[in-house]
Amino acid sequence: MAVLMAVAVFPILYSLWLSFFRMKLTRPNRTPFVWFENYTDLLGNELFWVSVARTVTFTVTSVAAIAVIALLVSLLLNQDFRGRRVLSTILLIPWAIPYVANALMWKWIYDSGYGALNGVLYQLDFIDKYMVWLGDQDKTIFLIANAFVWKEVPLATILLLVTLKSIPADLYQAARVDGAGIWQRFTHVTLPSMKPGFMLVMIYETMMAIRHFDLFFILTEGGPGDASHVLSWHIYVETFRNLSFGSGAAMSYILAIVTFVLAYFIIRFLGRRV
Amino acid sequence: MKTSRMPSMGRRQFMQTSAAAGALGLAAPGRLALAQSASPVNLHTWSAAVDTVKSHLTAFEEHTGIPVNYGNSPWAQYREGMVTKFVGGAPLDMMWVSDAWLPEWAEAGWIAPVDDFDFLMKYNAEAEDFCTNSMTYDGRQYGLTYYTDFMAFLYDEEKLKEAGFDAPPETWDEVVEQSLVMKEKGIAEYPMMLAMAQESWLIEFMSALVYSHGGRFVDDNGDAIMQHEGNGAVEALRWVVDGVRKHGIISPACVETGELSGLKAFASGNHAFALVAKYRLRMLNDPEQSQVAGNVKQAMMPMGSNGAHDTVGWMRFHGMSAQAAADQQRAENTAKLIEWFGGKADGEYKFQKLLFLDIGAGFGVKPLFEDPEIRAAYDAYGDVDMIQKQQAQARKKDVITPWFGEWSETNGSAWQSAILGNVDPKAALEKSAELWAELKSEY
């Protein structure tokens, strides 16, 4: 209990306390108590809203792609075919790679000068000259989302596969007896039965995407311009570069509240139908 | 079983023995006595030239008898780590300081001026002006040189000749002109290499461009002038934007190209011109590390229409903590260590010379340019007279203030946004200037 208080409860309460101060480490002698000013200031901060928009784009794109790809892969792995075990093992590789290693790998892949992506596309004659990837602001957030999806799909697949395996065979037999075809069995038996798995995937991946930092730090540092300036990056810059612990703590609380609210709605929306 | 016992010692006898030992200690030769009584100087640096630092420290300890506790941490986490040490009151006497952090650390009261030590100040007579200026904040000097360097304009002589040019460009317009010819002849797709990714180097690249366009970011009062046409910054940014979007001589990927990636690209022979730190010249002309080794030359920084061959210089220096300065003995020992590293040791600028010979890091004292060993080392990969001439035209970064860190993030994004074509260069710098004014009033 004492350990829990020291490593979890105290930091949470202390950071909440900090968020009411204009606390900047580089101004150690001036830390006025400002009540909710750190929170209200954010509402008028243009870059904060830019970061919210970027976070929404990244999260929606990533979670949707993860859900769809994981569903397709889990359906495939649910079938009996030769090499299924090998494929399942290969699928786990991205999951086993640490986030930072994953980010560094994608940095090499996307590099406009010597990256593998340009190399492959060029050799296949899809492009006639090397393209700018991460430096193109229209592509940046989606390319980072792609790297995130690659890392997250295995876990989502496993969660959905477990759900698939738990669907009773009787339901499919009954549907066949009723004359349901493949598509009808999928939409009326498989999908509704997978809702608990989907709920888990949606909540987990939404939380991971909203808070994700590593890829943004290593691939773009929030750039180019503010093209990948997401909320987690904004918090990092405010807290650890500007050393503004007060406003950084306030932003972190906002992020935490948003995450909780989203999780609540996902549970309500999907949970109601489970 | 036979056992031996130490003879017992009474309280009176113990006191007498202790007093005698103490007296003997005081009477011992000076160096030994100092070594035993001096409290150690706590030195923290970032993890660079660690072996050279250690060997120089050993020599210091032998020479003075003052022990030193040495620690280091990676550059990437150094500032944040040091701030935490300062705030937490960790024992710290001497540390390496970047010119970019000086106002912030001085305002916070973490580091102390060293200009009360005359034996340190005498070295200013031989130091480059921009070095002394870069170590000075609010009229006080906070240290002595660890290393210094400046942003240099480099070119690939072979590509230049292939394009039919005998001499490197003198102006930024000529850079465009020569680059377009190279582009047309297929010598390089993007002849000019600029690294404009958001990283700590970005301000140095920007400052070199602005200064050579005859400009400044702020005036003598510290008010932003970067947003005004004719003050150099708008012209510099416009040159970059045109280079990317109009002429196509700079890669659009420059916004994702960091200093190291840019350097590698130049070393691979992808470009004809580059803006890089001067000390990179050694690596670029090293056949084991560069495909263009032997062809890379330095020219004076090209000029803008109202500019000169000015460039930006930067400093890393040995500073003293406020906690050391508060204790006379600690302060004196720390000042001696600062002199040993930043000034002369055994009658010569030993550490700056060692550092140059070891890793090619620049020095801030003019007499070293005449040192035969240094000239011989420079001759192997560069033109020492050109280096000296350009270094004499280096200027300190004018944006170094307590709010530099916060402003720098936004300024970097503003430049990138202009390069990406989202905003006009003037509008980008207006946004940057607006934040500057806001932060200045806040501080």
Side-chain angles (χ1 to χ4, degrees):
Chain A
M1 186 64 181
V3 173
L4 191 70
M5 289 293 286
V7 302
V9 179
F10 174 72
I12 290 171
L13 294 178
Y14 185 62
S15 59
L16 180 66
W17 177 241
L18 280 186
S19 74
F20 298 128
F21 287 86
R22 189 79 77 197
M23 186 194 185
K24 201 168 166 58
L25 283 193
T26 51
R27 280 185 285 178
N29 304 320
R30 273 191 288 162
T31 52
F33 185 76
V34 292
W35 286 104
F36 289 95
E37 248 181 59
N38 283 327
Y39 292 89
T40 53
D41 283 357
L42 280 177
L43 303 178
N45 184 332
E46 190 191 335
L47 196 54
F48 171 74
W49 291 111
V50 168
S51 71
V52 169
R54 302 273 186 263
T55 307
V56 170
T57 308
F58 176 75
T59 305
V60 171
T61 310
S62 304
V63 175
I66 289 167
V68 172
I69 297 169
L71 172 66
L72 295 175
V73 179
S74 62
L75 287 171
L76 176 70
L77 292 179
N78 198 35
Q79 305 302 310
D80 275 328
F81 60 93
R82 216 175 146 167
R84 186 169 62 96
R85 283 176 192 279
V86 176
L87 191 65
S88 304
T89 311
I90 291 171
L91 179 79
L92 290 176
I93 291 173
W95 190 33
I97 294 176
Y99 273 108
V100 172
N102 179 49
L104 289 169
M105 181 186 78
W106 283 99
K107 193 175 176 67
W108 278 71
I109 291 173
Y110 288 147
D111 190 279
S112 57
Y114 50 79
L117 182 59
N118 267 335
V120 169
L121 293 178
Y122 188 78
Q123 282 178 16
L124 293 174
D125 274 341
F126 284 123
I127 53 175
D128 56 359
K129 64 172 187 175
Y130 277 22
M131 305 278 288
V132 174
W133 298 110
L134 291 170
D136 182 338
Q137 58 188 337
D138 298 329
K139 298 187 191 112
T140 312
I141 204 91
F142 300 107
L143 291 169
I144 299 174
N146 179 57
F148 180 73
V149 169
W150 187 83
K151 171 92 177 83
E152 292 296 318
V153 157
L155 178 64
T157 304
I158 289 167
L159 292 172
L160 293 182
L161 191 58
V162 170
T163 321
L164 268 177
K165 298 272 186 206
S166 67
I167 301 173
D170 301 353
L171 288 178
Y172 289 105
Q173 281 166 7
R176 277 198 193 95
V177 169
D178 290 343
I182 292 177
W183 179 248
Q184 283 166 318
R185 288 204 299 276
F186 176 68
T187 54
H188 289 93
V189 178
T190 309
L191 273 185
S193 306
M194 288 181 77
K195 275 179 185 163
F198 266 121
M199 189 168 76
L200 204 57
V201 167
M202 297 289 275
I203 293 172
Y204 177 76
E205 296 301 346
T206 303
M207 284 182 175
M208 292 298 282
I210 286 181
R211 297 180 300 120
H212 193 69
F213 172 75
D214 308 45
L215 283 165
F216 296 96
F217 179 64
I218 290 169
L219 289 181
T220 57
E221 296 213 6
D226 53 21
S228 60
H229 195 102
V230 290
L231 210 42
S232 59
W233 177 253
H234 196 62
I235 292 170
Y236 168 76
V237 168
E238 190 65 10
T239 311
F240 295 105
R241 289 204 173 164
N242 298 341
L243 299 171
S244 297
F245 277 42
S247 51
M251 283 182 210
S252 302
Y253 269 93
I254 289 178
L255 183 62
I257 291 165
V258 168
T259 313
F260 278 128
V261 170
L262 271 173
Y264 172 77
F265 279 110
I266 292 170
I267 291 169
R268 271 200 69 172
F269 180 73
L270 286 176
R272 195 188 296 158
R273 291 164 173 81
V274 173
Chain B
M1 194 167 79
K2 197 174 176 182
T3 57
S4 65
R5 280 185 69 185
M6 289 281 287
S8 61
M9 186 185 276
R11 194 179 60 179
R12 185 182 297 271
Q13 199 181 355
F14 172 77
M15 295 297 282
Q16 283 170 346
T17 311
S18 302
L24 193 67
L26 285 172
R31 183 172 294 178
L32 179 65
L34 186 60
Q36 286 172 342
S37 65
S39 56
V41 176
N42 298 291
L43 165 68
H44 199 87
T45 71
W46 53 84
S47 316
V50 173
D51 290 338
T52 310
V53 172
K54 279 183 180 168
S55 69
H56 204 57
L57 274 178
T58 306
F60 174 79
E61 287 174 330
E62 282 169 6
H63 188 265
T64 63
I66 302 169
V68 180
N69 287 335
Y70 171 53
N72 62 76
S73 47
W75 163 260
Q77 289 88 41
Y78 186 76
R79 174 179 164 256
E80 290 80 0
M82 290 303 286
V83 170
T84 313
K85 278 180 196 290
F86 288 135
V87 173
L92 200 58
D93 299 300
M94 178 177 148
M95 76 295 298
W96 287 353
V97 185
S98 165
D99 53 1
W101 313 322
L102 168 58
E104 184 183 87
W105 292 12
E107 284 286 341
W110 295 327
I111 54 174
V114 296
D115 46 16
D116 289 335
F117 296 94
D118 293 339
F119 64 93
L120 296 183
M121 291 305 95
K122 71 182 182 208
Y123 295 109
N124 286 348
E126 294 185 331
E128 298 280 4
D129 286 344
F130 83 89
C131 293
T132 310
N133 291 339
S134 298
M135 294 184 287
T136 304
Y137 176 67
D138 221 4
R140 306 292 306 270
Q141 187 170 329
Y142 283 78
L144 285 188
T145 308
Y146 149 49
Y147 101 95
T148 181
D149 215 333
F150 59 85
M151 200 50 78
F153 182 80
L154 305 184
Y155 65 96
D156 183 331
E157 195 177 35
E158 200 174 88
K159 288 192 175 60
L160 211 68
K161 282 181 182 161
E162 201 182 333
F165 297 104
D166 297 328
E170 280 274 318
T171 65
W172 288 111
D173 285 344
E174 285 177 24
V175 172
V176 174
E177 197 180 298
Q178 295 190 1
S179 296
L180 287 173
V181 173
M182 287 181 195
K183 209 172 154 63
E184 200 179 303
K185 291 188 174 177
I187 296 167
E189 188 181 0
Y190 300 112
M192 178 74 207
M193 194 290 286
L194 267 186
M196 302 299 283
Q198 274 276 29
E199 57 172 22
S200 58
W201 278 103
L202 187 54
I203 189 63
E204 268 92 22
F205 291 118
M206 292 174 184
S207 298
L209 288 160
V210 172
Y211 291 174
S212 58
H213 276 84
R216 300 174 65 170
F217 284 98
V218 298
D219 63 16
D220 289 338
N221 297 321
D223 293 320
I225 54 168
M226 63 195 89
Q227 73 278 30
H228 303 310
E229 297 268 3
N231 280 338
V234 174
E235 289 74 14
L237 179 53
R238 189 164 287 139
W239 185 88
V240 178
V241 172
D242 286 349
V244 174
R245 308 190 70 78
K246 188 172 156 188
H247 307 303
I249 60 168
I250 303 168
S251 169
C254 68
V255 290
E256 58 156 315
T257 305
E259 191 264 351
L260 200 56
S261 302
L263 187 75
K264 284 178 185 168
F266 189 66
S268 305
N270 293 348
H271 307 280
F273 305 115
L275 209 57
V276 291
K278 181 267 301 168
Y279 76 93
R280 297 295 198 185
L281 194 52
R282 185 163 104 155
M283 172 255 165
L284 288 166
N285 277 325
D286 177 355
E288 286 185 9
Q289 301 184 68
S290 165
Q291 291 175 37
V292 289
N295 296 329
V296 182
K297 309 283 180 209
Q298 185 193 343
M300 291 298 281
M301 188 63 66
M303 298 185 292
S305 52
N306 297 317
H309 294 296
D310 290 348
T311 188
V312 70
W314 56 88
M315 279 295 296
R316 309 288 181 253
F317 60 90
H318 309 283
M320 183 188 292
S321 72
Q323 52 173 290
D327 179 314
Q328 196 183 347
Q329 187 58 52
R330 272 175 81 182
E332 275 173 23
N333 288 348
T334 306
K336 282 178 191 164
L337 186 58
I338 289 176
E339 183 184 27
W340 188 258
F341 274 83
K344 288 183 178 173
D346 291 335
E348 59 171 334
Y349 291 105
K350 201 176 260 179
F351 186 68
Q352 291 193 55
K353 185 175 168 179
L354 276 173
L355 212 58
F356 170 77
L357 296 173
D358 184 16
I359 58 172
F363 44 82
V365 284
K366 289 177 256 190
L368 281 183
F369 275 115
E370 307 309 323
D371 184 295
E373 264 187 278
I374 284 183
R375 291 190 80 84
Y378 259 143
D379 282 344
Y381 60 86
D383 175 351
V384 65
D385 294 327
M386 169 65 74
I387 289 165
Q388 191 170 7
K389 200 172 150 193
Q390 183 68 83
Q391 182 157 312
Q393 283 194 240
R395 287 159 45 192
K396 72 175 272 191
K397 293 177 289 241
D398 60 355
V399 289
I400 300 304
T401 52
W403 58 90
F404 167 69
E406 282 170 77
W407 171 78
S408 178
E409 288 286 332
T410 302
N411 182 54
S413 292
W415 277 60
Q416 287 193 334
S417 293
I419 293 168
L420 292 167
N422 295 341
V423 285
D424 174 71
K426 187 167 161 47
L429 286 165
E430 274 166 0
K431 189 180 172 190
S432 200
E434 199 179 304
L435 178 69
W436 180 274
E438 192 184 312
L439 290 169
K440 187 169 183 264
S441 66
E442 208 177 284
Y443 275 82

